[in-house]
């Protein structure tokens, strides 16, 4: 399987929509750059955690 098959696209998109929606409701305007940065960071953390857990389960 390719690396792209393991990217957490739906989780990252959910984080983006959640943060942008919260900003919009709380402050009256959304900040898409802040939401995108947080979504990329969350996606990276999820991908690393999946890789570590997969590696741990193979032992």
């Amino acid at each position: 399987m390719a690396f792209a098959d393991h990217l957490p696209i739906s989780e990252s998109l959910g984080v983006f929509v959640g943060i942008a929606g919260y900003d919009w409701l709380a402050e009256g305007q959304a900040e898409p750059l802040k939401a995108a940065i947080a979504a990329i960071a969350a996606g990276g953390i999820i991908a690393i955690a999946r890789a570590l857990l997969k590696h741990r389960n193979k032992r």
Side-chain angles (χ1 to χ4, degrees):
M1 287 189 179
F3 178 72
D5 292 341
H6 300 291
L7 291 177
I9 301 297
S10 60
E11 291 91 343
S12 298
L13 185 61
V15 170
F16 175 79
V17 170
I19 292 175
Y22 179 77
D23 282 345
W24 182 54
L25 289 174
E27 299 173 6
Q29 63 184 11
E31 295 182 29
L33 181 61
K34 181 175 95 172
I37 291 170
I40 291 170
I45 291 169
I46 292 169
I48 290 169
R50 285 181 182 172
L52 290 175
L53 290 174
K54 185 177 180 182
H55 180 69
R56 182 185 292 178
N57 289 338
K58 285 188 176 182
R59 287 185 180 185

